[in-house]
Amino acid sequence: VSEINGLKFLSDKQSFTDKVNAAGSIDAVASILSEAKAQDAAEQLTKSKVDAIADVNALSGLNDSEKASFADKINASTTLNGVASAVSDAKTVAKLNTYKESAKTTVSNLTKLSDESKAGYTNRIKSEISTTNVDAIVAEAKAESQLIQDKESAVSEIKALVNLSGKEQASFADAVTNAASKSTVDTVVSTAKAQGQKNLEAKQLEELRVDVKAKISDMDYLSDAQKQDFASKVDAAVTKTDVSNLLVNANATNDLEKAKPKATTKINNL
């Protein structure tokens, strides 16, 4: 009787106690006690299932269908370990679901992504079964978003390069748009800047050529042939230094030609 009263989950202890008191043999008592323990275990399993289903229903990360599915698994369990396992699985799924929802929100907030791209990432997240894979998808989405932002900045930078022609700007902008990585974008921008600098230097060289040829043309003591010779050399010069040196030479030649008549007169007067 004392052992029966010590059974925590047995609800009808009095009935089993009455049976024990009425028993006519030790074997009958043992049989009744065994039956009481079995009933105690059954009632413990039943209570465990009720508590487990309540726990599952309280999991905010599960939808109604998932809660019902786990409830069915719990009700079908024949052991306490089976019930505990079902609850553990439910918590794992709820945690993953919550993690996925957070990830989908993160993707949705990436304003540089198109709706189509967001939908693609969201659908992939929905089908994943681990947080590691979800993290990988979110990282991929962020990388795409960042690349789009990098491309926009690069195109703006290229359009600000005033020494590029409209055709050159369009060509470099297209190259940026088609780039598949940040390193490629950076390379295109560097190339664009180099071309802009090259164009500037070419413009400055041509402006200097025009200025120097005008000065040579105005030199009074150079013959037309000499002027043409210097002008041709100026046109062929590939650096501003070479052009400047030609102006120095032209000035020297002009001074020499200017001095020749005076020298000749002095010689003739000797």
Side-chain angles (χ1 to χ4, degrees), residues 169-205:
Q169 286 185 348
S171 176
F172 284 120
D174 286 342
V176 167
T177 300
N178 295 327
S181 68
K182 176 65 162 57
S183 61
T184 301
V185 171
D186 290 342
T187 298
V188 173
V189 172
S190 294
T191 303
K193 288 180 177 179
Q195 184 62 47
Q197 182 62 31
K198 181 179 178 181
N199 290 352
L200 174 61
E201 291 174 357
K203 178 183 177 183
Q204 291 173 337
L205 177 61

mmCIF file of all heavy atoms in Angstrom, residues 169-205:
data_model
loop_
_atom_site.group_PDB
_atom_site.id
_atom_site.type_symbol
_atom_site.label_atom_id
_atom_site.label_comp_id
_atom_site.label_asym_id
_atom_site.label_seq_id
_atom_site.Cartn_x
_atom_site.Cartn_y
_atom_site.Cartn_z
ATOM 1 N N GLN A 169 33.205 57.408 -72.115
ATOM 2 C CA GLN A 169 32.449 57.274 -70.864
ATOM 3 C C GLN A 169 31.428 56.150 -70.964
ATOM 4 O O GLN A 169 31.285 55.341 -70.049
ATOM 5 C CB GLN A 169 31.754 58.588 -70.528
ATOM 6 C CG GLN A 169 32.686 59.674 -70.017
ATOM 7 C CD GLN A 169 31.922 60.917 -69.582
ATOM 8 O OE1 GLN A 169 30.742 61.059 -69.853
ATOM 9 N NE2 GLN A 169 32.609 61.821 -68.902
ATOM 10 N N ALA A 170 30.718 56.099 -72.086
ATOM 11 C CA ALA A 170 29.696 55.066 -72.283
ATOM 12 C C ALA A 170 30.325 53.679 -72.308
ATOM 13 O O ALA A 170 29.786 52.721 -71.723
ATOM 14 C CB ALA A 170 28.937 55.319 -73.581
ATOM 15 N N SER A 171 31.471 53.566 -72.953
ATOM 16 C CA SER A 171 32.150 52.277 -73.053
ATOM 17 C C SER A 171 32.617 51.785 -71.688
ATOM 18 O O SER A 171 32.414 50.615 -71.330
ATOM 19 C CB SER A 171 33.353 52.404 -73.995
ATOM 20 O OG SER A 171 34.074 51.180 -74.041
ATOM 21 N N PHE A 172 33.223 52.683 -70.913
ATOM 22 C CA PHE A 172 33.682 52.301 -69.568
ATOM 23 C C PHE A 172 32.499 52.005 -68.646
ATOM 24 O O PHE A 172 32.563 51.089 -67.823
ATOM 25 C CB PHE A 172 34.552 53.406 -68.972
ATOM 26 C CG PHE A 172 35.949 53.457 -69.543
ATOM 27 C CD1 PHE A 172 36.421 54.584 -70.195
ATOM 28 C CD2 PHE A 172 36.797 52.361 -69.418
ATOM 29 C CE1 PHE A 172 37.710 54.630 -70.722
ATOM 30 C CE2 PHE A 172 38.095 52.404 -69.942
ATOM 31 C CZ PHE A 172 38.538 53.533 -70.599
ATOM 32 N N ALA A 173 31.418 52.768 -68.778
ATOM 33 C CA ALA A 173 30.228 52.531 -67.950
ATOM 34 C C ALA A 173 29.641 51.151 -68.244
ATOM 35 O O ALA A 173 29.218 50.428 -67.331
ATOM 36 C CB ALA A 173 29.182 53.608 -68.203
ATOM 37 N N ASP A 174 29.625 50.766 -69.528
ATOM 38 C CA ASP A 174 29.134 49.438 -69.913
ATOM 39 C C ASP A 174 30.013 48.334 -69.314
ATOM 40 O O ASP A 174 29.514 47.304 -68.863
ATOM 41 C CB ASP A 174 29.105 49.291 -71.432
ATOM 42 C CG ASP A 174 27.962 50.081 -72.071
ATOM 43 O OD1 ASP A 174 27.037 50.438 -71.329
ATOM 44 O OD2 ASP A 174 28.021 50.328 -73.284
ATOM 45 N N ALA A 175 31.310 48.581 -69.318
ATOM 46 C CA ALA A 175 32.240 47.592 -68.758
ATOM 47 C C ALA A 175 31.997 47.409 -67.262
ATOM 48 O O ALA A 175 32.072 46.287 -66.746
ATOM 49 C CB ALA A 175 33.680 48.026 -69.013
ATOM 50 N N VAL A 176 31.709 48.505 -66.579
ATOM 51 C CA VAL A 176 31.393 48.425 -65.149
ATOM 52 C C VAL A 176 30.106 47.640 -64.929
ATOM 53 O O VAL A 176 30.019 46.762 -64.074
ATOM 54 C CB VAL A 176 31.249 49.842 -64.540
ATOM 55 C CG1 VAL A 176 30.614 49.768 -63.158
ATOM 56 C CG2 VAL A 176 32.617 50.509 -64.436
ATOM 57 N N THR A 177 29.091 47.950 -65.718
ATOM 58 C CA THR A 177 27.792 47.276 -65.586
ATOM 59 C C THR A 177 27.920 45.773 -65.781
ATOM 60 O O THR A 177 27.255 44.980 -65.102
ATOM 61 C CB THR A 177 26.793 47.843 -66.615
ATOM 62 O OG1 THR A 177 26.620 49.238 -66.373
ATOM 63 C CG2 THR A 177 25.445 47.152 -66.501
ATOM 64 N N ASN A 178 28.788 45.363 -66.681
ATOM 65 C CA ASN A 178 28.952 43.936 -66.984
ATOM 66 C C ASN A 178 29.955 43.237 -66.080
ATOM 67 O O ASN A 178 30.133 42.022 -66.184
ATOM 68 C CB ASN A 178 29.381 43.771 -68.450
ATOM 69 C CG ASN A 178 28.314 44.220 -69.424
ATOM 70 O OD1 ASN A 178 27.129 44.080 -69.155
ATOM 71 N ND2 ASN A 178 28.725 44.787 -70.557
ATOM 72 N N ALA A 179 30.606 43.990 -65.194
ATOM 73 C CA ALA A 179 31.623 43.400 -64.307
ATOM 74 C C ALA A 179 30.977 42.438 -63.317
ATOM 75 O O ALA A 179 29.871 42.666 -62.835
ATOM 76 C CB ALA A 179 32.363 44.501 -63.559
ATOM 77 N N ALA A 180 31.687 41.358 -63.025
ATOM 78 C CA ALA A 180 31.147 40.334 -62.119
ATOM 79 C C ALA A 180 31.775 40.394 -60.734
ATOM 80 O O ALA A 180 31.400 39.621 -59.848
ATOM 81 C CB ALA A 180 31.363 38.946 -62.726
ATOM 82 N N SER A 181 32.710 41.322 -60.534
ATOM 83 C CA SER A 181 33.368 41.406 -59.225
ATOM 84 C C SER A 181 33.827 42.826 -58.955
ATOM 85 O O SER A 181 33.990 43.637 -59.884
ATOM 86 C CB SER A 181 34.576 40.463 -59.176
ATOM 87 O OG SER A 181 35.599 40.913 -60.052
ATOM 88 N N LYS A 182 34.063 43.121 -57.667
ATOM 89 C CA LYS A 182 34.539 44.444 -57.258
ATOM 90 C C LYS A 182 35.914 44.716 -57.851
ATOM 91 O O LYS A 182 36.214 45.852 -58.249
ATOM 92 C CB LYS A 182 34.609 44.498 -55.727
ATOM 93 C CG LYS A 182 35.178 45.801 -55.158
ATOM 94 C CD LYS A 182 34.307 47.001 -55.461
ATOM 95 C CE LYS A 182 34.609 48.185 -54.561
ATOM 96 N NZ LYS A 182 35.990 48.640 -54.593
ATOM 97 N N SER A 183 36.753 43.707 -57.919
ATOM 98 C CA SER A 183 38.104 43.907 -58.464
ATOM 99 C C SER A 183 38.043 44.312 -59.932
ATOM 100 O O SER A 183 38.814 45.160 -60.387
ATOM 101 C CB SER A 183 38.935 42.629 -58.297
ATOM 102 O OG SER A 183 38.354 41.546 -58.991
ATOM 103 N N THR A 184 37.108 43.730 -60.668
ATOM 104 C CA THR A 184 36.953 44.094 -62.080
ATOM 105 C C THR A 184 36.452 45.524 -62.207
ATOM 106 O O THR A 184 36.905 46.288 -63.064
ATOM 107 C CB THR A 184 35.978 43.138 -62.781
ATOM 108 O OG1 THR A 184 36.462 41.797 -62.670
ATOM 109 C CG2 THR A 184 35.837 43.479 -64.259
ATOM 110 N N VAL A 185 35.512 45.899 -61.355
ATOM 111 C CA VAL A 185 35.002 47.281 -61.343
ATOM 112 C C VAL A 185 36.148 48.251 -61.084
ATOM 113 O O VAL A 185 36.290 49.267 -61.776
ATOM 114 C CB VAL A 185 33.911 47.450 -60.264
ATOM 115 C CG1 VAL A 185 33.551 48.937 -60.102
ATOM 116 C CG2 VAL A 185 32.656 46.667 -60.635
ATOM 117 N N ASP A 186 36.969 47.942 -60.086
ATOM 118 C CA ASP A 186 38.101 48.819 -59.741
ATOM 119 C C ASP A 186 39.075 48.944 -60.912
ATOM 120 O O ASP A 186 39.620 50.024 -61.167
ATOM 121 C CB ASP A 186 38.832 48.273 -58.510
ATOM 122 C CG ASP A 186 38.010 48.410 -57.238
ATOM 123 O OD1 ASP A 186 37.053 49.209 -57.244
ATOM 124 O OD2 ASP A 186 38.333 47.717 -56.253
ATOM 125 N N THR A 187 39.288 47.831 -61.604
ATOM 126 C CA THR A 187 40.197 47.845 -62.756
ATOM 127 C C THR A 187 39.665 48.747 -63.862
ATOM 128 O O THR A 187 40.420 49.517 -64.474
ATOM 129 C CB THR A 187 40.390 46.418 -63.305
ATOM 130 O OG1 THR A 187 40.994 45.605 -62.301
ATOM 131 C CG2 THR A 187 41.284 46.419 -64.533
ATOM 132 N N VAL A 188 38.363 48.663 -64.119
ATOM 133 C CA VAL A 188 37.746 49.504 -65.153
ATOM 134 C C VAL A 188 37.882 50.985 -64.798
ATOM 135 O O VAL A 188 38.225 51.817 -65.649
ATOM 136 C CB VAL A 188 36.259 49.139 -65.347
ATOM 137 C CG1 VAL A 188 35.592 50.125 -66.304
ATOM 138 C CG2 VAL A 188 36.116 47.719 -65.880
ATOM 139 N N VAL A 189 37.624 51.320 -63.532
ATOM 140 C CA VAL A 189 37.727 52.719 -63.098
ATOM 141 C C VAL A 189 39.165 53.210 -63.241
ATOM 142 O O VAL A 189 39.402 54.342 -63.712
ATOM 143 C CB VAL A 189 37.253 52.878 -61.638
ATOM 144 C CG1 VAL A 189 37.549 54.286 -61.128
ATOM 145 C CG2 VAL A 189 35.757 52.593 -61.526
ATOM 146 N N SER A 190 40.121 52.385 -62.850
ATOM 147 C CA SER A 190 41.532 52.769 -62.977
ATOM 148 C C SER A 190 41.908 53.006 -64.441
ATOM 149 O O SER A 190 42.619 53.967 -64.773
ATOM 150 C CB SER A 190 42.425 51.675 -62.385
ATOM 151 O OG SER A 190 42.225 51.562 -60.994
ATOM 152 N N THR A 191 41.423 52.128 -65.305
ATOM 153 C CA THR A 191 41.696 52.267 -66.742
ATOM 154 C C THR A 191 41.060 53.545 -67.287
ATOM 155 O O THR A 191 41.656 54.255 -68.104
ATOM 156 C CB THR A 191 41.153 51.046 -67.503
ATOM 157 O OG1 THR A 191 41.729 49.850 -66.962
ATOM 158 C CG2 THR A 191 41.494 51.138 -68.983
ATOM 159 N N ALA A 192 39.843 53.841 -66.828
ATOM 160 C CA ALA A 192 39.150 55.052 -67.265
ATOM 161 C C ALA A 192 39.915 56.305 -66.834
ATOM 162 O O ALA A 192 40.068 57.255 -67.610
ATOM 163 C CB ALA A 192 37.735 55.078 -66.701
ATOM 164 N N LYS A 193 40.387 56.293 -65.597
ATOM 165 C CA LYS A 193 41.152 57.439 -65.099
ATOM 166 C C LYS A 193 42.448 57.619 -65.900
ATOM 167 O O LYS A 193 42.843 58.749 -66.214
ATOM 168 C CB LYS A 193 41.465 57.254 -63.616
ATOM 169 C CG LYS A 193 40.263 57.427 -62.700
ATOM 170 C CD LYS A 193 40.649 57.241 -61.245
ATOM 171 C CE LYS A 193 39.473 57.486 -60.310
ATOM 172 N NZ LYS A 193 39.833 57.295 -58.886
ATOM 173 N N ALA A 194 43.092 56.503 -66.198
ATOM 174 C CA ALA A 194 44.340 56.568 -66.968
ATOM 175 C C ALA A 194 44.072 57.133 -68.367
ATOM 176 O O ALA A 194 44.858 57.941 -68.886
ATOM 177 C CB ALA A 194 44.964 55.173 -67.067
ATOM 178 N N GLN A 195 42.943 56.713 -68.968
ATOM 179 C CA GLN A 195 42.594 57.218 -70.288
ATOM 180 C C GLN A 195 42.274 58.707 -70.228
ATOM 181 O O GLN A 195 42.644 59.480 -71.121
ATOM 182 C CB GLN A 195 41.387 56.449 -70.842
ATOM 183 C CG GLN A 195 40.997 56.848 -72.263
ATOM 184 C CD GLN A 195 42.110 56.565 -73.257
ATOM 185 O OE1 GLN A 195 42.698 55.480 -73.254
ATOM 186 N NE2 GLN A 195 42.430 57.545 -74.104
ATOM 187 N N GLY A 196 41.589 59.109 -69.150
ATOM 188 C CA GLY A 196 41.287 60.529 -68.972
ATOM 189 C C GLY A 196 42.557 61.363 -68.858
ATOM 190 O O GLY A 196 42.661 62.445 -69.450
ATOM 191 N N GLN A 197 43.526 60.857 -68.104
ATOM 192 C CA GLN A 197 44.798 61.560 -67.957
ATOM 193 C C GLN A 197 45.550 61.613 -69.278
ATOM 194 O O GLN A 197 46.147 62.645 -69.634
ATOM 195 C CB GLN A 197 45.649 60.859 -66.889
ATOM 196 C CG GLN A 197 46.983 61.520 -66.609
ATOM 197 C CD GLN A 197 46.850 62.939 -66.078
ATOM 198 O OE1 GLN A 197 45.874 63.255 -65.397
ATOM 199 N NE2 GLN A 197 47.806 63.802 -66.392
ATOM 200 N N LYS A 198 45.477 60.507 -70.014
ATOM 201 C CA LYS A 198 46.132 60.445 -71.322
ATOM 202 C C LYS A 198 45.508 61.465 -72.268
ATOM 203 O O LYS A 198 46.220 62.172 -73.008
ATOM 204 C CB LYS A 198 45.989 59.040 -71.895
ATOM 205 C CG LYS A 198 46.667 58.845 -73.247
ATOM 206 C CD LYS A 198 46.497 57.399 -73.722
ATOM 207 C CE LYS A 198 47.129 57.195 -75.090
ATOM 208 N NZ LYS A 198 46.940 55.795 -75.572
ATOM 209 N N ASN A 199 44.171 61.550 -72.230
ATOM 210 C CA ASN A 199 43.470 62.523 -73.080
ATOM 211 C C ASN A 199 43.844 63.955 -72.708
ATOM 212 O O ASN A 199 44.012 64.820 -73.576
ATOM 213 C CB ASN A 199 41.957 62.346 -72.948
ATOM 214 C CG ASN A 199 41.462 61.057 -73.581
ATOM 215 O OD1 ASN A 199 42.218 60.358 -74.248
ATOM 216 N ND2 ASN A 199 40.198 60.727 -73.368
ATOM 217 N N LEU A 200 43.957 64.209 -71.400
ATOM 218 C CA LEU A 200 44.323 65.549 -70.933
ATOM 219 C C LEU A 200 45.711 65.927 -71.421
ATOM 220 O O LEU A 200 45.934 67.047 -71.918
ATOM 221 C CB LEU A 200 44.270 65.601 -69.408
ATOM 222 C CG LEU A 200 44.755 66.899 -68.759
ATOM 223 C CD1 LEU A 200 43.899 68.083 -69.215
ATOM 224 C CD2 LEU A 200 44.742 66.774 -67.241
ATOM 225 N N GLU A 201 46.641 65.005 -71.279
ATOM 226 C CA GLU A 201 48.015 65.275 -71.702
ATOM 227 C C GLU A 201 48.083 65.498 -73.215
ATOM 228 O O GLU A 201 48.836 66.362 -73.705
ATOM 229 C CB GLU A 201 48.925 64.126 -71.285
ATOM 230 C CG GLU A 201 49.103 64.050 -69.766
ATOM 231 C CD GLU A 201 49.878 62.817 -69.326
ATOM 232 O OE1 GLU A 201 50.228 61.995 -70.199
ATOM 233 O OE2 GLU A 201 50.136 62.681 -68.113
ATOM 234 N N ALA A 202 47.276 64.714 -73.966
ATOM 235 C CA ALA A 202 47.250 64.886 -75.422
ATOM 236 C C ALA A 202 46.676 66.260 -75.787
ATOM 237 O O ALA A 202 47.156 66.938 -76.711
ATOM 238 C CB ALA A 202 46.416 63.777 -76.064
ATOM 239 N N LYS A 203 45.650 66.676 -75.049
ATOM 240 C CA LYS A 203 45.032 67.987 -75.288
ATOM 241 C C LYS A 203 46.021 69.106 -74.981
ATOM 242 O O LYS A 203 46.161 70.073 -75.752
ATOM 243 C CB LYS A 203 43.792 68.127 -74.414
ATOM 244 C CG LYS A 203 43.088 69.465 -74.543
ATOM 245 C CD LYS A 203 41.910 69.555 -73.582
ATOM 246 C CE LYS A 203 41.231 70.914 -73.650
ATOM 247 N NZ LYS A 203 40.128 71.030 -72.664
ATOM 248 N N GLN A 204 46.711 68.961 -73.852
ATOM 249 C CA GLN A 204 47.696 69.980 -73.464
ATOM 250 C C GLN A 204 48.835 70.042 -74.476
ATOM 251 O O GLN A 204 49.331 71.127 -74.808
ATOM 252 C CB GLN A 204 48.237 69.679 -72.066
ATOM 253 C CG GLN A 204 47.207 69.878 -70.962
ATOM 254 C CD GLN A 204 47.724 69.410 -69.610
ATOM 255 O OE1 GLN A 204 48.637 68.577 -69.533
ATOM 256 N NE2 GLN A 204 47.133 69.932 -68.540
ATOM 257 N N LEU A 205 49.247 68.864 -74.969
ATOM 258 C CA LEU A 205 50.323 68.823 -75.955
ATOM 259 C C LEU A 205 49.901 69.521 -77.241
ATOM 260 O O LEU A 205 50.666 70.311 -77.818
ATOM 261 C CB LEU A 205 50.707 67.373 -76.247
ATOM 262 C CG LEU A 205 51.787 67.150 -77.323
ATOM 263 C CD1 LEU A 205 53.090 67.827 -76.905
ATOM 264 C CD2 LEU A 205 52.009 65.646 -77.557
#
